[in-house]
Amino acid sequence: MEFSIKSTSPEKQRTACLVVGVHESRKLSPAATQIDQQAGGYLTDILRHGDMDGRLGSTCLLHKVPGTICERVLLVGLGRERDMNEKAYADASNAMLKALAGCGAADAAIYLIQTSVKGRDLAWNIEQLVIAAEASQYQPGKLKSKQDKSPSKLRKLTFGISDSQQQASAEAALAQGLAIGAGMSLAKMLGDLPGNVCTPTYLAGQAQALAKSHKLKCEVLDKKDIEKLGMGSFLSVAKGSRQPPKLVVLHHNGGKKGDKPIVLVGKGITFDAGGISLKPAAEMDEMKYDMCGAASVLGTLRAIAEMKLPLNVVGVIPTCENLPDGDANKPGDIVTSMSGQTIEILNTDAEGRLILCDALTYSERFEPAAVIDIATLTGACVIALGHHATGMFSNHDSLAREIEHAGTAAQDRVWRLPLWDDYQQQLDSNFADIANIGGRAGGSITAACFLSRFTKKYDWAHLDIAGTAWKSGKDKGSTGRPVPLLVHFLVKRAGRPK
């Protein structure tokens, strides 16, 4: 889809569809008021006759409104003016996009971005609407023999601003929204692919293709390289699969030489059957999404590369499958991690932490400013937080606050959970330095505590995206989260004094 910014009064817009807002109590938005005046009170009459009540998410499509030069006017309900917050704006935006998709217009001029949203500005409105528009274009059924045809003819959106002095900030918001949208689309595409297509080798190939197209540096380590590094924990998970493991390392060198990078570590289990501790058959197909952490790292790197973000960022992706096999991990096995710590594997389905711990140790070599790992790690996090907030853990309060603020700004929110030493004893083992599970109580917390044993040398945060990386049911599919959160965090870091 094509996007542009234009400083023009709504009544002067020549377009297939002009979009303006209406609040409850029949209150027209400023842009709608201008159209109403041009049309001799036509919109006021529509409201008076009850065709549109301004209820949040309601729409009313009008053709050939008197006095206007546009073909259609779409009224979008904004609800009560005092209740216009981030969620209400998102609901109104999605209702608008759905109505536009079905109205037959090839282009539209949108003045909804001028809506006053509590605590937000025009730039935020534009970015969020661009991301929503990009998401509405995403088609998950890439492998169908007959591709689903989009009913929408919509190809171009123009955002109408009231002041030419807003042009620069609006253009910047548009660019950021497009970059985030592109990153989310990549993450969703990879997440939605089946495990027989998106193997560790395929994922590594996608990273190499991204590096080539977006001028990143990419290194792919194979099994022999991983063995030389002493990543016994990572390799133990890969043993049960015929697909060879890969360790992908991507560099975005946008900052000054010598500046410490932010390292993003993404869990890349391309299919997780649980290993010998086999998962139940129901919904096991969704375990293709166990690589969404890796997908989000690739999506984020794509976004910041398109933005040419002046920051050094490293992406580290350990990727393999977790399957049952005669050579697979067995409950009770003890392996040695890259850090030298030994791990008793009490449950082979707690494999994500086994590959992440070696990737976290590997990240020490970059002398990072901070490390964030992203993983669909625990079902316990879903039970605790549902599907709205990502679970967040950190050994550094300032870093945790940065991530919280970025999540709020991006509408990709996190909730911080404790990482207290009180939980560490649940990981005690009689036979190794640490057990890979700590029992049912506080499962997401003890998983984070496990990872914390390997992050002593830098500021670190862990994002458990098990509840937010994909949707189940009739709308099954990857969400592309937490790409918006990560991009906002990195943008803020890039603007911070070194």
Side-chain angles (χ1 to χ4, degrees):
M1 188 179 290
E2 184 183 341
F3 297 86
S4 63
I5 305 289
K6 197 171 182 181
S7 176
T8 306
S9 297
E11 71 274 11
K12 297 179 182 179
Q13 281 279 13
R14 189 178 298 277
T15 179
C17 189
L18 183 75
V19 183
V20 293
V22 179
H23 288 283
E24 284 187 18
S25 302
R26 301 173 184 172
K27 182 175 181 181
L28 297 170
S29 66
T33 299
Q34 289 177 270
I35 293 295
D36 189 49
Q37 291 171 349
Q38 184 75 15
Y42 186 81
L43 300 189
T44 299
D45 286 342
I46 290 290
L47 300 183
R48 186 181 299 117
H49 286 94
D51 295 276
M52 177 62 166
D53 59 9
R55 180 171 38 86
L56 181 62
S58 60
T59 58
C60 181
L61 184 65
L62 307 174
H63 292 265
K64 299 189 181 301
V65 174
T68 64
I69 57 175
C70 57
E71 296 174 21
R72 309 166 182 84
V73 172
L74 177 64
L75 304 181
V76 179
L78 302 176
R80 293 186 297 183
E81 194 169 10
R82 67 175 181 269
D83 294 336
M84 178 46 66
N85 56 20
E86 294 100 333
K87 185 180 183 304
Y89 181 74
D91 290 344
S93 298
N94 288 326
M96 176 203 73
L97 291 167
K98 184 176 180 180
L100 285 175
C103 79
D107 64 275
I110 299 174
Y111 284 80
L112 216 62
I113 58 166
Q114 296 183 10
T115 303
S116 179
V117 181
K118 290 178 182 177
R120 300 300 176 193
D121 57 12
L122 177 69
W124 185 90
N125 288 1
I126 291 173
E127 180 189 307
Q128 292 299 309
L129 192 45
V130 170
I131 293 171
E134 288 287 277
S136 72
Q137 298 292 300
Y138 176 75
Q139 296 288 332
K142 303 294 185 185
L143 299 181
K144 291 184 177 182
S145 58
K146 293 183 179 179
Q147 292 293 302
D148 294 333
K149 291 184 179 180
S150 172
S152 176
K153 296 180 180 178
L154 191 63
R155 295 292 176 266
K156 181 179 180 181
L157 295 181
T158 300
F159 296 132
I161 58 176
S162 58
D163 187 348
S164 60
Q165 292 184 346
Q166 299 172 321
Q167 189 80 27
S169 61
E171 294 282 0
L174 172 58
Q176 182 162 311
L178 285 171
I180 292 173
M184 292 179 74
S185 292
L186 175 60
K188 288 193 282 190
M189 182 273 290
L190 292 171
D192 286 335
L193 287 174
N196 65 321
V197 174
C198 188
T199 63
T201 300
Y202 180 91
L203 195 60
Q206 291 295 299
Q208 290 171 321
L210 177 66
K212 185 176 181 180
S213 63
H214 287 73
K215 298 181 180 179
L216 305 173
K217 179 183 175 184
C218 182
E219 183 181 10
V220 177
L221 283 64
D222 59 21
K223 184 179 178 182
K224 289 184 178 179
D225 300 318
I226 298 168
E227 287 173 344
K228 288 178 183 177
L229 289 169
M231 293 185 168
S233 184
F234 176 15
L235 288 168
S236 75
V237 177
K239 288 191 306 179
S241 171
R242 296 177 187 177
Q243 295 289 339
K246 304 289 182 182
L247 182 67
V248 180
V249 185
L250 282 161
H251 295 261
H252 168 78
N253 296 320
K256 294 179 181 178
K257 188 176 181 180
D259 283 353
K260 293 184 175 183
I262 302 294
V263 178
L264 305 177
V265 179
K267 174 186 170 184
I269 298 291
T270 56
F271 191 80
D272 180 20
I276 298 300
S277 305
L278 192 66
K279 291 179 180 290
E283 300 178 346
M284 194 197 284
D285 65 289
E286 295 185 5
M287 289 302 98
K288 68 181 184 179
Y289 293 116
D290 215 16
M291 42 63 68
C292 283
S296 72
V297 171
L298 293 178
T300 300
L301 283 163
R302 174 176 177 171
I304 65 170
E306 293 190 0
M307 294 167 64
K308 296 181 172 56
L309 197 67
L311 188 71
N312 294 332
V313 181
V314 179
V316 178
I317 297 172
T319 176
C320 66
E321 294 179 329
N322 184 32
L323 299 175
D325 181 78
D327 197 34
N329 277 333
K330 303 176 294 296
D333 283 359
I334 293 177
V335 298
T336 303
S337 67
M338 184 181 179
S339 70
Q341 295 177 79
T342 57
I343 304 164
E344 183 181 12
I345 301 171
L346 297 179
N347 188 319
T348 67
D349 194 24
E351 86 299 327
R353 64 201 74 182
L354 296 177
I355 72 170
L356 286 172
C357 70
D358 280 343
L360 290 169
T361 300
Y362 181 84
S363 299
E364 292 175 3
R365 65 188 54 209
F366 303 115
E367 298 182 1
V371 176
I372 302 174
D373 78 73
I374 309 100
T376 48
L377 204 65
T378 65
C381 194
V382 185
I383 300 303
L385 298 177
H387 299 285
H388 302 290
T390 289
M392 191 261 287
F393 305 80
S394 182
N395 63 7
H396 193 267
D397 289 342
S398 178
L399 174 61
R401 284 193 294 271
E402 283 184 77
I403 293 171
E404 286 174 330
H405 293 159
T408 300
Q411 282 300 284
D412 186 4
R413 293 171 295 181
V414 301
W415 188 260
R416 190 178 184 183
L417 292 160
L419 194 65
W420 302 334
D421 287 341
D422 309 59
Y423 293 96
Q424 292 283 356
Q425 62 184 5
Q426 290 178 233
L427 297 169
D428 289 348
S429 166
N430 290 342
F431 309 104
D433 296 328
I434 185 174
N436 80 321
I437 59 171
R440 289 176 60 83
S444 59
I445 298 172
T446 54
C449 285
F450 178 94
L451 296 176
S452 74
R453 305 277 185 107
F454 303 87
T455 61
K456 304 293 186 184
K457 297 183 179 180
Y458 46 69
D459 299 341
W460 160 77
H462 161 59
L463 300 180
D464 192 332
I465 59 171
T468 55
W470 79 92
K471 294 179 181 179
S472 300
K474 66 180 181 66
D475 295 322
K476 183 186 293 184
S478 177
T479 64
R481 295 177 64 185
V483 171
L485 157 67
L486 294 171
V487 172
H488 271 259
F489 168 79
L490 294 171
V491 167
K492 196 72 174 178
R493 274 283 174 135
R496 197 174 76 171
K498 302 294 185 291

